[in-house]
Amino acid sequence: MDLELRHPQPERAGRTKPSVIDCDIHPKADVAALKPYLARRWWDYLHSYGLRARHGFAKGYPYPKAAPQAARRDAWPPGGGQPGSDLDFMRQQHLDAYGIEFAVMNPLSPSGQGEQNRDFSAALAAAMNEWQIAAMTAREPRLKASIVVAYEDGEAARAEINRRAGNRDYVQVLLLSRTAEALGRKRYWPIYEAAVEHGLPVGIHVFGYSGWAMTNTGWPSFYIEEMTEHATSSQALVTSFIMEGVFERYPALKVVLIESGLAWLPALGWRLDKLWRRLKDEVPHVTHAPSETMREHLFVSTQPMEEPEHPDHLMEVMAWIGWDRILFASDYPHWDFDDPFLALPASLDDERRARIFSGNARALYRFA
Amino acid sequence: MDLELRHPQPERAGRTKPSVIDCDIHPKADVAALKPYLARRWWDYLHSYGLRARHGFAKGYPYPKAAPQAARRDAWPPGGGQPGSDLDFMRQQHLDAYGIEFAVMNPLSPSGQGEQNRDFSAALAAAMNEWQIAAMTAREPRLKASIVVAYEDGEAARAEINRRAGNRDYVQVLLLSRTAEALGRKRYWPIYEAAVEHGLPVGIHVFGYSGWAMTNTGWPSFYIEEMTEHATSSQALVTSFIMEGVFERYPALKVVLIESGLAWLPALGWRLDKLWRRLKDEVPHVTHAPSETMREHLFVSTQPMEEPEHPDHLMEVMAWIGWDRILFASDYPHWDFDDPFLALPASLDDERRARIFSGNARALYRFA
């Protein structure tokens, strides 16, 4: 058994716990838990037709079987249910244990995202949004919700954002990274418009259901390649956002890249700047150097963070991205969870550590 | 008109010219020029069915119309023909002008690569290989040839390598980056086996004909995104080579990444190392840390090189890759040509500059 999948309970009482805002945790609702929030029509539909996401995770996420539900082995609640489904256990194992001040929930499934029947997709997303409030934030003020949207239908997504955004327990709009088209395309602009209108950042969590092959040479052989590919697909989506002129159109838009790594950002910025200087007549709507745009509009979460041989290289990468742009995330309760006490490099000074642990998220998500 | 597409003739007589080995130039043969090297059957086939590469460049490369044939505007030979087709003009404009010691030719089309009819693919590749010798290297000893192969048929490719490798005018085996499957897959191993047997590096030039969409969110809107994507597809192919265990199987294999940029390599190595440490039970045939393997087996060409705001960052990237692993390339006669006198950063010391300009290529390609 892989011991890495078990995490010792934190016992660092002698050390001052930093304030931690965790920008990526995954609550779990059984489909049955969504029943109160689904119209009878869709509940029946679910039982007749099931979940049908393109190249989807209907049978569980494509994480190793070694970690069912992609979870830490010790994250299965002793009272039953799936990891992330038992609020009391989540409090004990994560929120209390690490002194988490706030945690942003990013529900992955069942959230309707990627469902082929677009109306069903929207209904499931709405149900998941209601569940997050009723089952979680109403009972636990440290938890904050993300508005999941049926992103392939821009107007349905806009309507869902408009419906939820008045409740300050929702702190962002959540998309996945693998979409039917590149995320900069106009079909998704109603989402960005609504997010900006309500002052909400747009979080983009890796994974998704695009239906396209994972690379332009098809499907890779190994899970380890899929995990690598999250970084490359994120490069394509950032490129799309920039080259479609999304940020010129929505200057207040903030995008959070969740679980995509971060060390690839400088090299992408350098490449884009060079190409843009030579080819900008192709994209006259792009009026700012791509690297400037990246540093103004993008935020990144820390988990999973690259680990260079020389810690200085990580510091340089972070400095390039911006010390006010990096958000701590644990990915609780997934197998590749980052322990808040161990995740950040020792060479970070206290001020930067405090920003990454909580200050940047407090400002971005406007926590009181 | 974009003046950047015209290059002034070099006039730096007062400065000592460094020795330059150019690892990426593109000679051009009209299809008609291949006639002497094609069996009658294939010549007739070509005229009946034409070139049929998947999502191919049959009507010219997908470079801007602003630069037909992707070429510098001043590279069209005054006597007619396409850029790269007139040896005398190539000598005058490039080899003599820059004092090029050797130049490695990477013919892109028509080379049979990506042709759907695999036997026709092999026949065209063979014809291009013969043309390179008869039309170019036999007349100009500074030019060296690449063995183009019908890479989707591993055994046909092996046979072609065996047929050519005895002639030392061939200095590498040439593949493209977008293949039907990821390049680490076993179907391509006969190519690597033959290359190693003959002591030839395998060059992988960006572009190709995979038939898969360019990203896992489909086809991008802009040419500038396609140019960015060469770096991400190269990340996927390096990952495939490593995770399929190609380098453990062929420890003497050397791979040259041509025109894919280079600043993305460290971040990829960091990510792969971290994932491999956690998930190596999935790939027990991978016995070395990915970053070690990358630095031992990969070479990169300089054009087009990222240009960080801080030149020190480029120096750090190069140091990570290895000062003995970087090869100068101009991409003559293409529009994004790098002028040998201007391409390398001023902060490079003379010894490193000399390695990149010629020392590394001299060792890799075993030039006398």
Side-chain angles (χ1 to χ4, degrees):
Chain A
M1 194 173 107
D2 183 353
L3 292 177
E4 282 192 88
L5 296 177
R6 288 195 178 278
H7 288 267
Q9 279 300 299
E11 294 174 38
R12 295 174 190 75
R15 183 169 159 180
T16 308
K17 287 182 184 175
S19 169
V20 175
I21 297 176
D22 187 343
C23 296
D24 184 33
I25 73 166
H26 297 290
K28 188 75 185 178
D30 286 330
V31 167
L34 299 186
K35 186 176 181 186
Y37 316 109
L38 276 176
R40 175 67 185 261
R41 169 189 173 195
W42 292 121
W43 183 250
D44 291 345
Y45 183 93
L46 176 64
H47 284 82
S48 295
Y49 298 97
L51 298 173
R52 291 186 308 113
R54 251 185 301 201
H55 293 269
F57 313 143
K59 293 176 183 167
Y61 290 81
Y63 280 73
K65 286 277 180 187
Q69 287 297 322
R72 284 166 48 176
R73 292 205 179 138
D74 62 347
W76 291 81
Q82 296 189 65
S85 66
D86 179 330
L87 177 56
D88 286 334
F89 186 61
M90 181 191 283
R91 283 188 181 115
Q92 174 199 327
Q93 186 174 46
H94 190 59
L95 302 178
D96 297 346
Y98 290 102
I100 305 289
E101 188 182 350
F102 294 106
V104 179
M105 296 185 291
N106 292 316
L108 295 178
S109 173
S111 69
Q113 297 194 313
E115 279 298 312
Q116 291 300 75
N117 178 328
R118 299 283 157 86
D119 291 335
F120 183 45
S121 178
L124 275 172
M128 173 51 85
N129 290 332
E130 294 196 21
W131 177 86
Q132 288 182 80
I133 300 302
M136 306 300 269
T137 69
R139 298 167 58 203
E140 174 49 70
R142 287 173 291 184
L143 293 178
K144 298 294 172 185
S146 293
I147 304 174
V148 294
V149 293
Y151 45 66
E152 301 302 355
D153 181 340
E155 288 304 331
R158 184 210 298 271
E160 182 66 13
I161 296 166
N162 287 340
R163 195 174 300 128
R164 307 295 166 196
N167 183 342
R168 287 289 299 136
D169 276 349
Y170 296 106
V171 297
Q172 74 180 349
V173 174
L174 183 66
L175 311 179
L176 298 179
S177 62
R178 291 185 193 136
T179 41
E181 295 184 48
L183 272 170
R185 287 274 175 88
K186 283 183 185 164
R187 65 187 286 169
Y188 305 110
W189 290 14
I191 300 171
Y192 311 138
E193 195 164 279
V196 164
E197 191 183 321
H198 296 289
L200 295 172
V202 173
I204 302 173
H205 192 285
V206 297
F207 290 98
Y209 309 83
S210 76
W212 299 95
M214 200 170 281
T215 80
N216 64 18
T217 53
W219 297 93
S221 302
F222 302 111
Y223 173 68
I224 199 170
E225 292 177 275
E226 296 184 24
M227 293 296 280
T228 309
E229 193 283 330
H230 292 311
T232 49
S233 61
S234 298
Q235 290 166 54
L237 81 82
V238 167
T239 303
S240 173
F241 264 98
I242 290 173
M243 293 306 162
E244 299 283 355
V246 176
F247 296 113
E248 274 82 2
R249 174 78 176 225
Y250 304 110
L253 180 62
K254 293 170 179 167
V255 168
V256 187
L257 301 170
I258 305 169
E259 210 172 310
S260 57
L262 49 82
W264 47 268
L265 280 153
L268 179 66
W270 301 332
R271 189 172 180 97
L272 290 177
D273 277 5
K274 180 169 178 168
L275 287 167
W276 176 74
R277 283 195 300 269
R278 289 193 126 177
L279 298 168
K280 62 175 119 175
D281 63 334
E282 191 195 18
V283 284
H285 48 278
V286 180
T287 53
H288 297 80
S291 64
E292 278 176 41
T293 301
M294 289 166 69
R295 289 184 275 204
E296 185 176 339
H297 294 276
L298 298 184
F299 293 74
V300 295
S301 69
T302 55
Q303 183 281 330
M305 194 157 54
E306 293 86 349
E307 293 172 7
E309 307 85 343
H310 304 293
D312 283 358
H313 288 163
L314 184 60
M315 296 299 113
E316 288 175 29
V317 164
M318 288 181 154
W320 191 94
I321 294 168
W323 293 107
D324 53 347
R325 290 296 186 260
I326 302 167
L327 311 169
F328 175 76
S330 77
D331 198 27
Y332 177 85
H334 288 167
W335 70 271
D336 45 352
F337 169 80
D338 267 354
D339 183 323
F341 293 143
L342 305 173
L344 298 186
S347 51
L348 266 183
D349 65 38
D350 285 348
E351 191 234 328
R352 287 170 177 167
R353 182 176 299 267
R355 281 198 195 181
I356 293 171
F357 264 138
S358 63
N360 295 337
R362 197 186 314 280
L364 175 67
Y365 292 119
R366 297 183 300 164
F367 291 127
Chain B
M1 194 174 104
D2 183 354
L3 292 177
E4 282 192 86
L5 296 177
R6 287 195 179 276
H7 287 267
Q9 279 298 299
E11 296 174 38
R12 296 174 189 76
R15 183 169 157 179
T16 307
K17 287 181 184 176
S19 170
V20 175
I21 296 176
D22 186 343
C23 295
D24 184 32
I25 74 166
H26 297 292
K28 188 75 184 177
D30 285 331
V31 168
L34 299 185
K35 186 175 181 188
Y37 316 108
L38 276 176
R40 175 66 186 262
R41 171 189 172 193
W42 293 121
W43 183 251
D44 291 346
Y45 183 94
L46 175 65
H47 284 81
S48 294
Y49 298 96
L51 297 174
R52 290 186 309 114
R54 251 185 302 201
H55 293 271
F57 312 144
K59 293 176 182 165
Y61 290 79
Y63 281 72
K65 287 276 181 187
Q69 287 297 321
R72 284 165 48 176
R73 293 206 178 138
D74 61 349
W76 291 81
Q82 296 189 66
S85 67
D86 179 330
L87 178 55
D88 286 333
F89 187 61
M90 180 191 285
R91 283 188 181 116
Q92 173 199 327
Q93 187 174 47
H94 190 58
L95 302 179
D96 296 345
Y98 290 103
I100 305 288
E101 188 183 349
F102 294 107
V104 179
M105 296 186 290
N106 292 317
L108 295 178
S109 173
S111 68
Q113 297 194 313
E115 279 297 312
Q116 291 299 76
N117 177 328
R118 299 284 157 88
D119 292 334
F120 182 46
S121 179
L124 275 172
M128 175 50 85
N129 290 331
E130 295 197 21
W131 176 85
Q132 288 181 80
I133 301 301
M136 306 300 268
T137 70
R139 297 167 59 203
E140 174 49 70
R142 287 173 290 185
L143 293 178
K144 297 295 172 184
S146 292
I147 304 175
V148 294
V149 294
Y151 45 66
E152 300 301 357
D153 180 340
E155 289 304 330
R158 184 210 298 271
E160 181 67 13
I161 296 167
N162 287 339
R163 195 173 299 128
R164 307 293 165 198
N167 182 342
R168 288 289 300 135
D169 276 350
Y170 296 106
V171 296
Q172 74 181 350
V173 174
L174 183 67
L175 310 179
L176 299 179
S177 63
R178 292 185 192 136
T179 42
E181 295 185 46
L183 272 171
R185 289 274 176 87
K186 284 183 183 165
R187 64 186 287 168
Y188 304 110
W189 290 15
I191 300 170
Y192 311 139
E193 196 164 276
V196 165
E197 192 184 319
H198 296 290
L200 296 172
V202 172
I204 302 174
H205 192 286
V206 297
F207 292 98
Y209 309 84
S210 76
W212 300 95
M214 201 170 282
T215 81
N216 64 18
T217 53
W219 295 95
S221 301
F222 301 112
Y223 173 67
I224 198 170
E225 292 177 274
E226 298 185 20
M227 293 296 280
T228 309
E229 193 283 331
H230 291 311
T232 50
S233 61
S234 298
Q235 290 167 53
L237 80 84
V238 167
T239 303
S240 173
F241 264 98
I242 290 173
M243 293 306 162
E244 299 281 355
V246 175
F247 296 113
E248 275 82 2
R249 174 79 175 224
Y250 304 109
L253 180 62
K254 292 169 179 167
V255 168
V256 187
L257 301 170
I258 305 168
E259 210 169 311
S260 57
L262 49 81
W264 49 268
L265 280 153
L268 178 66
W270 301 332
R271 188 172 181 99
L272 289 177
D273 277 5
K274 180 169 178 169
L275 287 167
W276 176 74
R277 283 194 300 269
R278 288 192 126 180
L279 298 168
K280 61 175 118 173
D281 64 334
E282 192 196 17
V283 284
H285 48 278
V286 180
T287 54
H288 298 79
S291 64
E292 278 176 41
T293 301
M294 288 165 69
R295 288 184 276 203
E296 186 176 338
H297 294 276
L298 298 183
F299 293 74
V300 296
S301 69
T302 54
Q303 184 282 331
M305 195 158 53
E306 293 85 350
E307 292 171 8
E309 307 86 343
H310 303 293
D312 284 357
H313 289 164
L314 185 60
M315 296 298 114
E316 288 175 28
V317 164
M318 288 182 156
W320 191 96
I321 294 168
W323 293 107
D324 52 350
R325 290 297 187 260
I326 302 167
L327 311 169
F328 174 76
S330 76
D331 198 27
Y332 178 87
H334 288 167
W335 70 270
D336 45 353
F337 169 79
D338 267 354
D339 183 322
F341 294 142
L342 305 173
L344 298 186
S347 50
L348 267 182
D349 65 38
D350 286 348
E351 191 233 328
R352 287 170 176 166
R353 181 177 298 268
R355 280 197 196 183
I356 294 172
F357 263 139
S358 63
N360 295 338
R362 197 185 314 281
L364 175 67
Y365 292 119
R366 298 184 301 163
F367 291 128

